[in-house]
């Protein structure tokens, strides 16, 4: 291979390293991971495959990466003067660019949880914030994963969570659960949030998650706990780093109530499924069914009125 200027029509060309730029839409922000090992591989084996990039403008000598960010970083650190570039067509818009970065890199690069969240969120924004169900189907992720990614990207600053995710002190599920927990606290005990400030509560809870005194499972009871716990109970919990959220939930008997409620909901679901299957063959069966259904309807209406009035 010769110089880039002499080989403009080639699919793969050599380009001065100083003329190749990382893509600002790339979700991976730390391209220096394992860079010493990568430098050693490049120096010993050479380039086993080129970087993928597009020309910034038709008359420009600069290229923007689509894949190969860590290898470009290693080449810069190793003082390599030229890098092989597989020249790709320039993306027509940011949506296409993000999609192509993901399709080129997802099979080759082990993105961190934060990088996947960032990629998914940016793609969702570029697509115009479509319905999460359809968006999840289009990008082959679960609705729950997409919802959690969007939730945490909208709520947290990068520096609050990326390190904890990398150290496996935090998870996407626990971070999403914490957002719901803080919002429930603001709903049921707004004086605590106003008094301490949401940022301080967030920092305290992130530390508790990292220290395993708060788990994803215990955060599931956000509404019940924030509603039933007293202000003094919650203040004590936030002040003391050693108190387990699960212990407070057990003390307030919230989990049993939660399980009981879910059991009742499942029973109601079974009832709804069985009612259409009721068959009557005799007059006596018909009268018994009518009486039972009328009684059930009265009880359901009374409970509905009670809940609506609560």
């Amino acid at each position: 291979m010769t110089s880039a200027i002499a080989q403009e029509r080639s699919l793969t060309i050599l380009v001065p390293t100083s003329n190749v730029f990382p893509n600002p839409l790339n979700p991976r922000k730390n391209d220096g991971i394992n860079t010493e090992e990568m430098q050693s591989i490049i120096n010993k084996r050479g380039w086993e495959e080129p970087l993928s990039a597009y020309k910034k403008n038709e008359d420009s000598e600069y290229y923007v990466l689509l894949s190969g960010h860590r290898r470009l970083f290693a080449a810069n650190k190793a003082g390599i003067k030229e890098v092989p570039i597989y020249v790709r067509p320039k993306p027509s818009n940011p949506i296409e660019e993000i999609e192509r970065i993901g399709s080129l890199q997802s099979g080759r690069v082990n993105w961190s949880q934060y990088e996947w969240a960032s990629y998914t969120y940016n793609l969702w924004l570029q697509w115009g914030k479509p319905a999460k169900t359809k968006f999840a189907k289009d990008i082959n992720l679960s609705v729950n994963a997409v919802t959690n990614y969007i939730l945490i990207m909208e709520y947290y600053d990068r520096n609050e969570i990326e390190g904890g995710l990398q150290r496996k002190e935090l998870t996407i599920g626990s971070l999403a659960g914490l957002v719901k927990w803080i919002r429930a606290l603001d709903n049921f005990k707004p004086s605590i949030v106003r008094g301490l400030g949401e940022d301080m509560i967030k920092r305290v809870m992130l530390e508790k998650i990292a220290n395993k005194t708060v788990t994803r499972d215990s955060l599931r009871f956000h509404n019940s706990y924030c509603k039933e716990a007293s202000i003094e109970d919650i203040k004590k919990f936030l002040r003391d780093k050693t108190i387990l959220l699960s212990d407070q939930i057990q003390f307030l008997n919230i989990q049993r109530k939660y399980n009981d409620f879910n059991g009742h909901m499942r029973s109601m679901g079974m009832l709804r499924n069985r009612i259409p299957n009721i068959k009557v063959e005799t007059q006596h069966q018909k009268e018994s069914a009518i009486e039972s259904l009328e009684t059930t309807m009265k009880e359901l209406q009374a409970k509905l009125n009670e809940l609506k009035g609560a």
Side-chain angles (χ1 to χ4, degrees):
M1 290 183 289
T2 58
S3 70
I5 297 174
Q7 298 286 330
E8 279 296 328
R9 296 184 180 179
S10 300
L11 285 177
T12 302
I13 59 177
L14 277 175
V15 176
T17 307
S18 60
N19 286 357
V20 184
F21 290 81
N23 196 310
L25 296 177
N26 179 37
R28 183 182 288 280
K29 300 305 179 186
N30 181 9
D31 295 327
I33 297 173
N34 297 327
T35 189
E36 293 83 4
E37 179 184 352
M38 192 158 291
Q39 290 175 52
S40 176
I41 291 172
I42 294 172
N43 285 325
K44 289 179 180 177
R45 303 180 190 172
W47 295 92
E48 296 181 344
E49 61 177 287
L51 314 179
S52 293
Y54 64 86
K55 205 171 186 181
K56 181 60 178 171
N57 295 302
E58 189 61 34
D59 58 350
S60 173
E61 60 184 6
Y62 300 127
Y63 292 79
V64 180
L65 280 185
L66 291 170
S67 72
H69 288 78
R70 292 169 62 202
R71 286 178 289 150
L72 177 64
F73 183 91
N76 277 308
K77 288 294 184 182
I80 296 173
K81 301 300 183 184
E82 291 183 316
V83 292
I85 295 292
Y86 178 59
V87 182
R88 307 299 301 273
K90 182 178 180 178
S92 58
N93 54 60
I95 297 176
E96 181 187 343
E97 189 158 3
I98 293 173
E99 289 175 340
R100 284 169 63 182
I101 290 171
S103 64
L104 283 168
Q105 294 193 16
S106 60
R108 305 178 188 176
V109 179
N110 293 321
W111 284 355
S112 68
Q113 289 188 79
Y114 186 89
E115 288 159 349
W116 271 115
S118 175
Y119 168 74
T120 304
Y121 179 64
N122 286 329
L123 193 61
W124 179 69
L125 290 179
Q126 293 291 343
W127 283 14
K129 299 183 178 181
K132 296 182 181 69
T133 302
K134 183 179 184 305
F135 177 67
K137 183 178 180 181
D138 288 342
I139 65 173
N140 200 29
L141 285 178
S142 70
V143 177
N144 185 60
V146 165
T147 301
N148 285 346
Y149 284 158
I150 292 171
L151 184 64
I152 69 169
M153 292 302 298
E154 290 186 327
Y155 188 75
Y156 299 98
D157 291 333
R158 182 181 189 125
N159 59 4
E160 289 180 312
I161 62 174
E162 186 175 24
L165 286 169
Q166 289 176 344
R167 294 187 298 272
K168 302 188 183 305
E169 296 170 351
L170 307 174
T171 66
I172 297 295
S174 65
L175 290 171
L178 178 54
V179 178
K180 298 170 186 176
W181 191 91
I182 292 175
R183 289 176 177 173
L185 184 65
D186 191 34
N187 181 39
F188 293 110
K189 302 292 189 296
S191 63
I192 296 179
V193 179
R194 286 197 305 267
L196 291 175
E198 189 169 332
D199 283 343
M200 179 175 174
I201 294 171
K202 186 200 311 182
R203 288 196 300 271
V204 169
M205 290 296 288
L206 285 172
E207 185 176 1
K208 279 180 167 286
I209 293 173
N211 292 333
K212 311 295 188 209
T213 56
V214 170
T215 65
R216 178 181 179 178
D217 283 343
S218 60
L219 289 168
R220 288 189 302 120
F221 303 100
H222 51 274
N223 282 324
S224 300
Y225 173 77
C226 293
K227 180 179 180 180
E228 297 189 25
S230 69
I231 289 177
E232 289 305 315
D233 285 335
I234 297 174
K235 286 165 58 179
K236 182 179 179 181
F237 166 69
L238 292 172
R239 286 197 309 269
D240 190 335
K241 295 180 180 181
T242 66
I243 295 179
L244 302 178
L245 181 57
S246 58
D247 286 348
Q248 289 234 316
I249 289 169
Q250 185 176 3
F251 175 75
L252 294 169
N253 213 18
I254 288 171
Q255 187 161 1
R256 184 192 62 77
K257 296 174 185 176
Y258 179 87
N259 291 339
D260 287 349
F261 175 79
N262 281 350
H264 293 319
M265 292 299 101
R266 284 193 294 271
S267 296
M268 286 181 61
M270 292 170 63
L271 177 62
R272 287 195 303 271
N273 292 333
R274 289 175 177 173
I275 286 175
N277 296 323
I278 296 175
K279 307 295 183 184
V280 295
E281 297 179 358
T282 66
Q283 183 63 27
H284 176 70
Q285 289 178 346
K286 179 179 179 180
E287 292 173 355
S288 296
I290 290 172
E291 181 181 357
S292 179
L293 287 171
E294 286 179 341
T295 301
T296 302
M297 288 174 64
K298 288 177 182 177
E299 291 173 351
L300 289 172
Q301 189 61 55
K303 176 54 71 175
L304 182 62
N305 292 339
E306 176 188 334
L307 291 173
K308 285 184 174 181

